[in-house]
Amino acid sequence: MQGPDRRDGHDERGTNMTGVDPSRLDDQQLMKELETIHRTRHDTLLYGSNDALRAHNERMAQLEGEYLRRNPRRIVAAGRTREGARERGCAETATPRASAG
């Protein structure tokens, strides 16, 4: 009997799931992989073994690194920068609050 069909692009070695080299994925496949890994992140952190979390960290770093390599001039929202976060913080504290009474 043969092992499971691995045409889905994942390579299982023990408990590690390394996946296809991100540089071999087309843009659509890369985005799908990124969406999947981000969606599963919270559960892996909370409930995964140390090995699963390490593998998840490594895979996420590979995928995100490839995305950044391909998109060095991606749009960065002002609110997602350190300066933008400071401005949000100042605006929140400067907003008058209704007093109880």
Side-chain angles (χ1 to χ4, degrees):
M1 184 170 143
Q2 273 188 317
D5 186 356
R6 299 310 302 164
R7 281 185 239 161
D8 62 0
H10 289 91
D11 176 16
E12 292 184 22
R13 295 184 184 139
T15 59
N16 295 339
M17 187 173 271
T18 57
V20 173
D21 181 341
S23 66
R24 293 180 44 206
L25 300 171
D26 65 30
D27 288 345
Q28 185 176 3
Q29 291 169 322
L30 178 61
M31 289 307 295
K32 185 173 173 69
E33 289 282 323
L34 282 165
E35 289 167 3
T36 299
I37 202 157
H38 286 129
R39 188 174 50 253
T40 60
R41 179 64 182 169
H42 190 74
D43 282 344
T44 304
L45 175 63
L46 294 180
Y47 309 114
S49 67
N50 288 340
D51 285 343
L53 185 58
R54 181 191 49 74
H56 205 272
N57 288 342
E58 289 174 9
R59 182 64 174 169
M60 187 181 306
Q62 291 172 349
L63 293 167
E64 289 177 347
E66 180 63 19
Y67 177 82
L68 293 172
R69 186 189 69 75
R70 292 182 193 187
N71 299 282
R73 293 189 176 102
R74 72 191 194 292
I75 296 171
V76 177
R80 301 299 297 180
T81 64
R82 193 171 278 160
E83 184 178 328
R86 284 190 200 113
E87 288 176 14
R88 270 196 323 268
C90 291
E92 289 170 5
T93 58
T95 304
R97 298 176 188 223
S99 59

Coordinates of all heavy atoms in Angstrom, one line a residue:
M1 N 0.8 -1.2 0.0 CA 0.0 0.0 0.0 C 0.9 1.2 0.0 O 1.8 1.3 0.8 CB -0.9 0.0 1.2 CG -1.9 1.1 1.3 SD -3.0 0.8 2.6 CE -3.2 2.5 3.2
Q2 N 0.5 2.2 -0.8 CA 1.3 3.4 -0.9 C 0.9 4.4 0.2 O -0.2 4.3 0.7 CB 1.1 4.1 -2.3 CG 2.0 3.6 -3.4 CD 1.8 4.5 -4.6 OE1 0.7 4.8 -4.9 NE2 2.9 4.8 -5.2
G3 N 1.8 5.4 0.5 CA 1.5 6.4 1.5 C 0.5 7.4 0.9 O 0.0 7.3 -0.3
P4 N 0.1 8.4 1.7 CA -0.9 9.3 1.2 C -0.4 10.2 0.1 O 0.8 10.4 -0.1 CB -1.1 10.2 2.5 CG 0.1 10.0 3.4 CD 0.6 8.6 3.0
D5 N -1.3 10.6 -0.8 CA -1.0 11.4 -1.9 C -0.6 12.8 -1.4 O -1.3 13.4 -0.8 CB -2.2 11.5 -2.8 CG -1.9 12.2 -4.1 OD1 -0.8 12.7 -4.3 OD2 -2.9 12.3 -4.9
R6 N 0.6 13.2 -1.8 CA 1.2 14.5 -1.2 C 1.2 15.6 -2.3 O 2.1 16.4 -2.4 CB 2.6 14.3 -0.7 CG 2.6 13.3 0.5 CD 1.6 13.6 1.6 NE 1.8 14.9 2.1 CZ 0.9 15.5 2.9 NH1 -0.3 14.9 3.2 NH2 1.1 16.7 3.4
R7 N 0.2 15.6 -3.2 CA 0.2 16.6 -4.3 C -0.2 17.9 -3.8 O -0.2 18.9 -4.5 CB -0.8 16.2 -5.4 CG -0.1 15.1 -6.3 CD -1.1 14.9 -7.5 NE -1.3 13.4 -7.4 CZ -2.3 12.9 -8.0 NH1 -3.2 13.5 -8.7 NH2 -2.5 11.6 -7.9
D8 N -0.6 18.0 -2.5 CA -1.0 19.3 -2.0 C 0.2 20.2 -1.7 O 0.0 21.4 -1.2 CB -1.8 19.1 -0.7 CG -1.1 18.5 0.4 OD1 0.1 18.1 0.3 OD2 -1.7 18.3 1.5
G9 N 1.4 19.8 -1.9 CA 2.6 20.6 -1.8 C 3.2 20.6 -0.4 O 4.1 21.4 -0.2
H10 N 2.8 19.7 0.4 CA 3.4 19.6 1.7 C 4.3 18.4 1.8 O 4.0 17.4 1.3 CB 2.4 19.6 2.9 CG 1.7 21.0 3.0 ND1 0.6 21.3 2.3 CD2 2.0 22.0 3.7 CE1 0.2 22.5 2.6 NE2 1.1 23.0 3.5
D11 N 5.3 18.5 2.6 CA 6.3 17.4 2.7 C 6.3 17.1 4.2 O 6.8 18.0 5.0 CB 7.7 17.9 2.2 CG 8.8 16.9 2.4 OD1 8.4 15.7 2.7 OD2 9.9 17.3 2.4
E12 N 5.9 16.0 4.6 CA 5.9 15.6 6.0 C 7.1 14.8 6.3 O 7.4 13.8 5.7 CB 4.6 14.8 6.4 CG 3.4 15.7 6.3 CD 2.1 14.9 6.7 OE1 2.2 14.0 7.5 OE2 1.0 15.4 6.3
R13 N 7.8 15.2 7.3 CA 9.0 14.5 7.8 C 8.8 14.4 9.3 O 9.0 15.4 10.0 CB 10.3 15.2 7.5 CG 10.5 15.3 6.0 CD 11.8 15.9 5.6 NE 11.9 16.0 4.2 CZ 12.4 17.1 3.6 NH1 12.8 18.1 4.2 NH2 12.4 17.1 2.3
G14 N 8.5 13.3 9.8 CA 8.2 13.1 11.2 C 7.0 14.0 11.6 O 6.0 13.9 10.9
T15 N 7.1 14.9 12.5 CA 6.0 15.8 12.9 C 6.2 17.1 12.2 O 5.3 18.0 12.3 CB 5.9 16.0 14.4 OG1 7.2 16.5 14.9 CG2 5.6 14.7 15.1
N16 N 7.3 17.3 11.5 CA 7.5 18.6 10.9 C 6.8 18.7 9.5 O 6.9 17.8 8.7 CB 9.0 18.9 10.7 CG 9.7 19.0 12.0 OD1 9.1 19.3 13.0 ND2 11.0 18.8 11.9
M17 N 6.1 19.8 9.2 CA 5.5 19.9 7.9 C 6.3 21.1 7.3 O 6.0 22.3 7.7 CB 4.0 20.2 8.0 CG 3.4 20.2 6.7 SD 1.6 20.3 6.8 CE 1.2 18.6 6.9
T18 N 7.2 20.8 6.4 CA 8.0 21.9 5.9 C 7.4 22.6 4.7 O 7.7 23.8 4.5 CB 9.4 21.4 5.5 OG1 9.2 20.3 4.5 CG2 10.1 20.8 6.7
G19 N 6.7 21.9 3.8 CA 6.0 22.6 2.7 C 7.0 22.8 1.6 O 8.2 22.6 1.6
V20 N 6.4 23.3 0.5 CA 7.2 23.6 -0.7 C 8.0 24.9 -0.5 O 7.6 25.8 0.2 CB 6.2 23.9 -1.9 CG1 6.9 24.4 -3.1 CG2 5.4 22.7 -2.2
D21 N 9.2 24.9 -1.0 CA 10.0 26.1 -1.0 C 9.2 27.3 -1.4 O 8.7 27.3 -2.6 CB 11.3 25.9 -1.8 CG 12.3 27.1 -1.8 OD1 11.9 28.2 -1.4 OD2 13.4 26.8 -2.2
P22 N 9.1 28.3 -0.6 CA 8.2 29.5 -1.0 C 8.6 30.1 -2.3 O 7.8 30.7 -3.0 CB 8.4 30.5 0.1 CG 8.7 29.6 1.3 CD 9.6 28.5 0.7
S23 N 9.9 30.1 -2.7 CA 10.3 30.7 -4.0 C 9.8 29.9 -5.2 O 9.7 30.5 -6.3 CB 11.9 30.7 -4.1 OG 12.4 29.4 -4.1
R24 N 9.3 28.7 -5.0 CA 8.7 27.9 -6.1 C 7.2 28.1 -6.2 O 6.6 27.7 -7.1 CB 9.0 26.4 -5.8 CG 10.5 26.1 -6.0 CD 10.8 24.6 -5.7 NE 9.8 23.7 -6.4 CZ 9.6 22.5 -6.0 NH1 10.1 22.0 -4.9 NH2 8.7 21.8 -6.7
L25 N 6.6 28.8 -5.3 CA 5.1 29.1 -5.3 C 4.9 30.3 -6.2 O 5.7 31.3 -6.2 CB 4.6 29.4 -3.9 CG 4.8 28.3 -2.8 CD1 4.4 28.8 -1.5 CD2 3.9 27.1 -3.2
D26 N 3.8 30.3 -7.0 CA 3.4 31.5 -7.7 C 2.8 32.5 -6.7 O 2.5 32.1 -5.5 CB 2.5 31.2 -8.9 CG 1.2 30.6 -8.5 OD1 0.6 30.9 -7.5 OD2 0.6 29.9 -9.4
D27 N 2.5 33.7 -7.1 CA 2.0 34.7 -6.2 C 0.7 34.3 -5.5 O 0.5 34.5 -4.3 CB 1.8 36.0 -6.9 CG 3.1 36.7 -7.2 OD1 4.1 36.3 -6.7 OD2 3.0 37.7 -8.0
Q28 N -0.2 33.6 -6.3 CA -1.5 33.2 -5.7 C -1.3 32.1 -4.7 O -1.9 32.1 -3.6 CB -2.4 32.7 -6.8 CG -3.8 32.4 -6.3 CD -4.7 32.0 -7.5 OE1 -4.3 32.0 -8.6 NE2 -6.0 31.8 -7.2
Q29 N -0.4 31.2 -4.9 CA -0.2 30.1 -4.0 C 0.5 30.6 -2.7 O 0.2 30.2 -1.6 CB 0.8 29.0 -4.6 CG 0.1 28.2 -5.7 CD 1.1 27.4 -6.5 OE1 2.3 27.9 -6.8 NE2 0.7 26.2 -6.9
L30 N 1.4 31.6 -2.9 CA 2.1 32.2 -1.7 C 1.1 32.9 -0.8 O 1.1 32.7 0.4 CB 3.1 33.2 -2.2 CG 3.9 33.9 -1.1 CD1 4.6 32.9 -0.2 CD2 4.9 34.9 -1.7
M31 N 0.1 33.6 -1.4 CA -0.9 34.3 -0.6 C -1.8 33.3 0.1 O -2.1 33.5 1.3 CB -1.7 35.3 -1.5 CG -0.9 36.5 -1.9 SD -0.2 37.4 -0.6 CE -1.6 38.0 0.3
K32 N -2.1 32.2 -0.6 CA -3.0 31.2 0.1 C -2.2 30.6 1.3 O -2.8 30.4 2.3 CB -3.3 30.1 -1.0 CG -4.3 29.1 -0.4 CD -4.8 28.2 -1.6 CE -5.6 27.0 -1.1 NZ -6.9 27.4 -0.6
E33 N -1.0 30.3 1.1 CA -0.2 29.7 2.2 C -0.1 30.7 3.3 O -0.2 30.3 4.5 CB 1.3 29.4 1.7 CG 1.3 28.2 0.7 CD 1.2 26.8 1.5 OE1 1.8 26.7 2.6 OE2 0.6 25.9 0.9
L34 N 0.1 32.0 3.0 CA 0.2 33.0 4.1 C -1.1 33.1 4.8 O -1.1 33.2 6.1 CB 0.6 34.4 3.5 CG 2.1 34.5 3.2 CD1 2.3 35.7 2.3 CD2 2.9 34.6 4.5
E35 N -2.2 33.1 4.1 CA -3.5 33.2 4.7 C -3.7 32.0 5.7 O -4.2 32.2 6.8 CB -4.6 33.3 3.7 CG -4.6 34.6 2.9 CD -5.5 34.6 1.7 OE1 -6.2 33.5 1.4 OE2 -5.5 35.6 1.0
T36 N -3.4 30.8 5.2 CA -3.5 29.6 6.0 C -2.7 29.6 7.3 O -3.2 29.4 8.4 CB -3.2 28.4 5.2 OG1 -4.1 28.3 4.1 CG2 -3.3 27.1 6.0
I37 N -1.4 30.0 7.1 CA -0.6 30.0 8.3 C -1.0 31.1 9.3 O -0.9 30.8 10.5 CB 0.9 30.1 7.9 CG1 1.8 29.5 9.0 CG2 1.4 31.5 7.6 CD1 3.1 29.0 8.6
H38 N -1.4 32.2 8.8 CA -1.9 33.2 9.8 C -3.2 32.8 10.5 O -3.3 33.1 11.7 CB -2.0 34.6 9.1 CG -0.7 35.2 8.8 ND1 -0.4 35.7 7.5 CD2 0.4 35.4 9.5 CE1 0.8 36.2 7.5 NE2 1.3 36.0 8.7
R39 N -4.0 32.1 9.8 CA -5.3 31.7 10.3 C -5.0 30.6 11.4 O -5.8 30.5 12.4 CB -6.2 31.1 9.2 CG -7.6 30.7 9.7 CD -8.5 30.3 8.5 NE -8.0 29.3 7.7 CZ -7.5 29.5 6.4 NH1 -7.6 30.7 5.9 NH2 -7.0 28.5 5.7
T40 N -4.0 29.8 11.3 CA -3.8 28.7 12.2 C -2.8 29.1 13.3 O -2.6 28.3 14.3 CB -3.2 27.5 11.5 OG1 -1.9 27.8 10.9 CG2 -4.2 26.9 10.5
R41 N -2.3 30.3 13.3 CA -1.3 30.7 14.2 C -1.7 30.7 15.7 O -1.0 30.2 16.6 CB -0.8 32.2 13.9 CG 0.2 32.7 14.8 CD 1.5 32.0 14.7 NE 2.5 32.4 15.7 CZ 3.6 31.8 15.9 NH1 3.8 30.7 15.3 NH2 4.4 32.3 16.7
H42 N -2.9 31.2 16.0 CA -3.3 31.3 17.4 C -3.5 29.9 18.0 O -3.0 29.7 19.1 CB -4.7 32.1 17.4 CG -5.1 32.4 18.8 ND1 -4.5 33.4 19.5 CD2 -6.1 31.9 19.6 CE1 -5.0 33.5 20.7 NE2 -6.0 32.6 20.8
D43 N -4.1 29.0 17.3 CA -4.3 27.7 17.8 C -3.0 26.9 18.0 O -2.8 26.2 19.0 CB -5.2 26.8 16.9 CG -6.7 27.2 17.1 OD1 -7.0 27.8 18.1 OD2 -7.5 26.8 16.2
T44 N -2.0 27.2 17.1 CA -0.7 26.5 17.2 C 0.0 27.1 18.5 O 0.6 26.3 19.2 CB 0.2 26.8 16.0 OG1 -0.6 26.3 14.8 CG2 1.5 26.1 16.1
L45 N -0.1 28.4 18.7 CA 0.5 29.0 19.9 C -0.1 28.4 21.2 O 0.6 28.0 22.1 CB 0.4 30.5 19.8 CG 0.9 31.2 21.1 CD1 2.4 31.0 21.2 CD2 0.6 32.7 21.0
L46 N -1.4 28.4 21.2 CA -2.1 27.9 22.4 C -2.0 26.4 22.7 O -1.9 26.0 23.8 CB -3.6 28.3 22.4 CG -3.8 29.8 22.4 CD1 -5.3 30.1 22.3 CD2 -3.2 30.5 23.6
Y47 N -2.1 25.6 21.6 CA -2.3 24.2 21.8 C -1.3 23.3 21.1 O -1.3 22.1 21.3 CB -3.7 23.8 21.3 CG -4.8 24.7 21.8 CD1 -5.5 25.5 21.0 CD2 -5.1 24.6 23.2 CE1 -6.5 26.3 21.5 CE2 -6.1 25.5 23.7 CZ -6.8 26.3 22.8 OH -7.8 27.1 23.4
G48 N -0.4 23.9 20.3 CA 0.6 23.0 19.7 C 1.7 22.6 20.5 O 2.1 23.3 21.5
S49 N 2.4 21.5 20.2 CA 3.6 21.1 20.9 C 4.7 22.1 20.6 O 4.6 23.0 19.7 CB 4.0 19.7 20.4 OG 4.5 19.8 19.1
N50 N 5.8 22.1 21.4 CA 6.9 22.9 21.1 C 7.5 22.7 19.7 O 7.9 23.7 19.0 CB 8.0 22.7 22.2 CG 7.7 23.3 23.5 OD1 6.8 24.1 23.6 ND2 8.3 22.8 24.6
D51 N 7.5 21.5 19.3 CA 8.0 21.2 17.9 C 7.0 21.8 16.9 O 7.5 22.3 15.9 CB 8.1 19.7 17.7 CG 9.3 19.0 18.4 OD1 10.2 19.8 18.7 OD2 9.3 17.8 18.5
A52 N 5.7 21.7 17.1 CA 4.8 22.3 16.2 C 4.9 23.8 16.1 O 4.9 24.4 15.0 CB 3.3 21.9 16.6
L53 N 5.1 24.4 17.2 CA 5.3 25.9 17.3 C 6.6 26.3 16.6 O 6.6 27.2 15.8 CB 5.2 26.4 18.7 CG 5.3 27.9 18.9 CD1 4.1 28.6 18.2 CD2 5.3 28.2 20.4
R54 N 7.6 25.5 16.8 CA 8.9 25.8 16.1 C 8.7 25.7 14.6 O 9.2 26.6 13.8 CB 10.0 24.9 16.6 CG 11.4 25.2 16.0 CD 12.4 24.1 16.3 NE 11.9 22.7 16.1 CZ 11.7 22.2 14.8 NH1 11.9 22.9 13.7 NH2 11.2 20.9 14.7
A55 N 8.1 24.6 14.2 CA 7.9 24.4 12.7 C 7.0 25.5 12.1 O 7.3 26.0 11.0 CB 7.3 23.0 12.5
H56 N 6.0 25.9 12.9 CA 5.1 27.0 12.4 C 5.9 28.3 12.3 O 5.7 29.0 11.3 CB 4.0 27.1 13.5 CG 2.7 27.7 12.9 ND1 2.5 29.1 12.8 CD2 1.6 27.1 12.4 CE1 1.3 29.3 12.3 NE2 0.8 28.1 12.0
N57 N 6.7 28.6 13.3 CA 7.5 29.8 13.3 C 8.5 29.8 12.1 O 8.6 30.8 11.4 CB 8.4 29.9 14.5 CG 7.6 30.3 15.8 OD1 6.5 30.8 15.7 ND2 8.2 30.0 16.9
E58 N 9.1 28.7 11.8 CA 10.0 28.6 10.7 C 9.3 28.8 9.4 O 9.8 29.5 8.5 CB 10.8 27.3 10.7 CG 11.8 27.2 11.8 CD 12.4 25.8 11.9 OE1 12.2 24.9 11.0 OE2 13.1 25.6 12.9
R59 N 8.2 28.1 9.2 CA 7.4 28.2 8.0 C 6.9 29.6 7.8 O 6.9 30.1 6.6 CB 6.3 27.2 8.0 CG 5.5 27.2 6.7 CD 6.3 26.7 5.5 NE 5.5 26.6 4.3 CZ 5.9 26.5 3.1 NH1 7.2 26.4 2.9 NH2 5.1 26.3 2.1
M60 N 6.4 30.2 8.8 CA 5.8 31.6 8.7 C 7.0 32.5 8.3 O 6.8 33.4 7.4 CB 5.2 32.1 10.0 CG 4.5 33.4 9.8 SD 3.8 34.0 11.3 CE 2.7 32.7 11.9
A61 N 8.1 32.4 8.9 CA 9.3 33.2 8.5 C 9.6 33.0 7.0 O 9.9 34.0 6.3 CB 10.4 33.0 9.4
Q62 N 9.6 31.8 6.6 CA 10.0 31.5 5.2 C 9.0 32.2 4.2 O 9.3 32.9 3.3 CB 9.9 30.0 4.9 CG 11.0 29.3 5.5 CD 10.8 27.8 5.4 OE1 9.8 27.3 4.9 NE2 11.8 27.0 5.7
L63 N 7.7 32.0 4.5 CA 6.6 32.6 3.7 C 6.6 34.1 3.7 O 6.5 34.7 2.6 CB 5.3 32.0 4.1 CG 5.1 30.5 3.9 CD1 3.8 30.0 4.6 CD2 5.0 30.2 2.4
E64 N 6.7 34.7 4.9 CA 6.7 36.1 5.0 C 8.0 36.7 4.3 O 7.9 37.8 3.7 CB 6.6 36.5 6.4 CG 5.2 36.3 7.0 CD 5.1 36.6 8.5 OE1 6.1 36.9 9.1 OE2 3.9 36.7 8.9
G65 N 9.1 36.0 4.5 CA 10.3 36.5 3.9 C 10.2 36.5 2.4 O 10.7 37.5 1.7
E66 N 9.6 35.5 1.8 CA 9.4 35.5 0.4 C 8.5 36.5 -0.1 O 8.7 37.2 -1.1 CB 8.9 34.1 -0.1 CG 8.7 33.9 -1.6 CD 9.9 34.1 -2.4 OE1 11.1 33.9 -1.9 OE2 9.8 34.3 -3.6
Y67 N 7.4 36.8 0.7 CA 6.4 37.8 0.3 C 7.2 39.2 0.3 O 7.0 40.0 -0.7 CB 5.3 37.9 1.3 CG 4.3 39.0 1.0 CD1 3.3 38.9 0.0 CD2 4.4 40.2 1.6 CE1 2.5 39.9 -0.3 CE2 3.6 41.3 1.3 CZ 2.6 41.1 0.3 OH 1.8 42.2 0.0
L68 N 7.9 39.5 1.3 CA 8.7 40.7 1.4 C 9.7 40.9 0.3 O 9.9 41.9 -0.3 CB 9.3 40.9 2.8 CG 8.3 41.0 3.9 CD1 9.1 41.0 5.3 CD2 7.5 42.3 3.8
R69 N 10.3 39.7 -0.1 CA 11.3 39.8 -1.2 C 10.7 40.2 -2.5 O 11.2 40.9 -3.2 CB 12.0 38.4 -1.3 CG 13.1 38.4 -2.3 CD 13.6 37.0 -2.6 NE 12.7 36.2 -3.3 CZ 12.4 36.3 -4.6 NH1 13.0 37.2 -5.3 NH2 11.5 35.5 -5.2
R70 N 9.5 39.6 -2.7 CA 8.7 39.9 -3.9 C 8.1 41.3 -3.9 O 7.7 41.8 -5.0 CB 7.6 38.9 -4.2 CG 8.1 37.5 -4.4 CD 7.0 36.5 -4.7 NE 7.4 35.2 -4.7 CZ 6.7 34.1 -5.0 NH1 5.4 34.4 -5.4 NH2 7.1 32.9 -5.0
N71 N 7.8 41.8 -2.8 CA 7.1 43.1 -2.7 C 7.8 44.1 -1.8 O 7.3 44.6 -0.8 CB 5.7 42.8 -2.0 CG 4.9 41.9 -2.9 OD1 4.3 42.3 -3.9 ND2 4.8 40.6 -2.5
P72 N 9.0 44.5 -2.2 CA 9.8 45.4 -1.4 C 9.2 46.8 -1.3 O 9.5 47.5 -0.3 CB 11.2 45.5 -2.1 CG 10.8 45.1 -3.5 CD 9.7 44.1 -3.5
R73 N 8.3 47.2 -2.2 CA 7.7 48.5 -2.2 C 6.2 48.4 -1.9 O 5.4 49.2 -2.4 CB 7.9 49.2 -3.5 CG 9.4 49.5 -3.7 CD 9.6 50.4 -5.0 NE 11.0 50.7 -5.1 CZ 11.8 50.2 -5.9 NH1 11.4 49.2 -6.8 NH2 13.1 50.6 -6.0
R74 N 5.8 47.4 -1.0 CA 4.4 47.2 -0.7 C 3.9 48.5 0.0 O 4.7 49.2 0.6 CB 4.2 46.0 0.1 CG 4.7 46.1 1.5 CD 4.7 44.8 2.3 NE 4.9 45.0 3.7 CZ 6.0 45.4 4.3 NH1 7.0 45.7 3.6 NH2 6.0 45.5 5.6
I75 N 2.6 48.7 -0.1 CA 2.0 49.9 0.5 C 2.0 49.6 2.0 O 1.6 48.6 2.5 CB 0.5 50.0 0.0 CG1 0.5 50.3 -1.5 CG2 -0.2 51.1 0.8 CD1 -0.8 50.3 -2.1
V76 N 2.5 50.7 2.8 CA 2.5 50.6 4.2 C 1.5 51.7 4.7 O 1.7 52.8 4.4 CB 3.9 50.9 4.7 CG1 3.9 50.9 6.3 CG2 4.9 49.8 4.2
A77 N 0.5 51.2 5.5 CA -0.5 52.2 6.0 C 0.1 53.0 7.1 O 0.9 52.5 7.9 CB -1.7 51.4 6.6
A78 N -0.1 54.3 7.1 CA 0.5 55.2 8.1 C 0.2 54.8 9.5 O 1.1 54.9 10.4 CB 0.0 56.6 7.8
G79 N -1.0 54.3 9.7 CA -1.4 53.8 11.1 C -0.6 52.6 11.5 O -0.7 52.2 12.7
R80 N 0.1 51.9 10.6 CA 0.8 50.7 11.0 C 2.3 50.9 11.2 O 3.1 50.0 11.3 CB 0.6 49.6 9.9 CG -0.8 49.2 9.6 CD -1.5 48.6 10.8 NE -0.8 47.4 11.2 CZ -1.2 46.6 12.2 NH1 -2.2 47.0 13.0 NH2 -0.5 45.5 12.5
T81 N 2.7 52.2 11.3 CA 4.1 52.6 11.6 C 4.2 53.0 13.0 O 3.2 53.2 13.7 CB 4.5 53.7 10.7 OG1 3.8 54.9 11.0 CG2 4.4 53.4 9.2
R82 N 5.4 53.1 13.5 CA 5.6 53.5 14.9 C 5.0 54.9 15.1 O 4.4 55.2 16.1 CB 7.1 53.4 15.2 CG 7.4 53.5 16.7 CD 8.8 53.2 17.0 NE 9.0 51.8 17.1 CZ 10.1 51.2 17.0 NH1 11.2 51.8 16.7 NH2 10.2 49.9 17.1
E83 N 5.3 55.8 14.2 CA 4.8 57.2 14.2 C 3.3 57.2 14.2 O 2.7 57.9 15.0 CB 5.4 58.0 13.1 CG 5.0 59.5 13.2 CD 5.6 60.3 12.0 OE1 6.8 59.9 11.6 OE2 5.0 61.2 11.6
G84 N 2.7 56.4 13.3 CA 1.3 56.4 13.3 C 0.6 55.9 14.6 O -0.4 56.4 15.0
A85 N 1.3 54.9 15.2 CA 0.8 54.4 16.4 C 0.8 55.4 17.5 O -0.1 55.6 18.4 CB 1.5 53.1 16.9
R86 N 1.9 56.2 17.5 CA 2.1 57.3 18.5 C 1.0 58.4 18.3 O 0.4 58.8 19.3 CB 3.4 58.0 18.4 CG 4.5 57.2 19.0 CD 5.8 58.0 19.0 NE 6.9 57.1 19.1 CZ 7.9 56.9 18.2 NH1 7.8 57.6 17.1 NH2 8.8 56.1 18.4
E87 N 0.7 58.7 17.1 CA -0.4 59.6 16.8 C -1.7 59.1 17.2 O -2.5 59.9 17.8 CB -0.4 60.0 15.3 CG 0.8 60.8 14.8 CD 0.8 61.1 13.4 OE1 -0.2 60.8 12.7 OE2 1.8 61.5 12.9
R88 N -2.0 57.9 17.0 CA -3.2 57.3 17.5 C -3.3 57.4 19.0 O -4.4 57.7 19.6 CB -3.3 55.8 17.1 CG -4.0 55.5 15.8 CD -4.4 54.1 15.7 NE -3.5 53.1 16.2 CZ -2.5 52.5 15.6 NH1 -2.3 52.8 14.3 NH2 -1.7 51.6 16.2
G89 N -2.2 57.1 19.7 CA -2.2 57.1 21.2 C -2.4 58.5 21.7 O -3.2 58.7 22.6
C90 N -1.9 59.6 21.0 CA -2.1 60.9 21.4 C -3.5 61.4 21.2 O -4.1 62.0 22.0 CB -1.2 61.9 20.6 SG 0.6 61.7 21.1
A91 N -4.1 60.9 20.1 CA -5.5 61.3 19.8 C -6.4 60.7 20.8 O -7.4 61.3 21.2 CB -5.8 60.8 18.3
E92 N -6.1 59.4 21.2 CA -7.0 58.8 22.2 C -7.0 59.5 23.5 O -8.0 59.6 24.2 CB -6.6 57.3 22.3 CG -6.9 56.5 21.1 CD -6.3 55.1 21.1 OE1 -5.7 54.7 22.1 OE2 -6.5 54.4 20.1
T93 N -5.8 59.9 23.9 CA -5.7 60.6 25.2 C -6.2 62.0 25.2 O -6.6 62.6 26.2 CB -4.3 60.5 25.8 OG1 -3.4 61.2 24.9 CG2 -3.8 59.1 26.0
A94 N -6.2 62.6 24.0 CA -6.6 64.0 23.9 C -8.1 64.1 23.7 O -8.7 65.2 23.8 CB -5.9 64.6 22.7
T95 N -8.8 63.0 23.4 CA -10.2 63.0 23.2 C -10.9 63.2 24.6 O -10.7 62.5 25.5 CB -10.7 61.7 22.6 OG1 -10.0 61.5 21.4 CG2 -12.2 61.7 22.4
P96 N -11.7 64.3 24.7 CA -12.4 64.5 26.0 C -13.4 63.4 26.3 O -14.0 62.8 25.4 CB -13.2 65.8 25.8 CG -13.0 66.2 24.4 CD -12.0 65.2 23.7
R97 N -13.5 63.0 27.5 CA -14.4 62.0 27.9 C -15.5 62.5 28.7 O -15.3 63.5 29.5 CB -13.6 60.9 28.8 CG -12.5 60.2 28.0 CD -11.8 59.3 28.9 NE -10.6 58.8 28.2 CZ -10.2 57.6 28.2 NH1 -10.9 56.7 28.9 NH2 -9.2 57.2 27.5
A98 N -16.7 62.0 28.6 CA -17.8 62.5 29.3 C -17.6 62.1 30.8 O -17.2 61.0 31.1 CB -19.1 61.8 28.8
S99 N -17.9 63.1 31.6 CA -17.8 62.8 33.0 C -19.0 62.2 33.6 O -20.1 62.6 33.1 CB -17.4 64.1 33.8 OG -18.4 65.1 33.6
A100 N -18.9 61.4 34.5 CA -20.1 60.8 35.2 C -20.6 61.8 36.2 O -19.9 62.4 36.9 CB -19.7 59.5 35.9
G101 N -21.9 62.0 36.2 CA -22.5 62.9 37.2 C -23.5 63.7 36.8 O -24.3 64.1 36.3

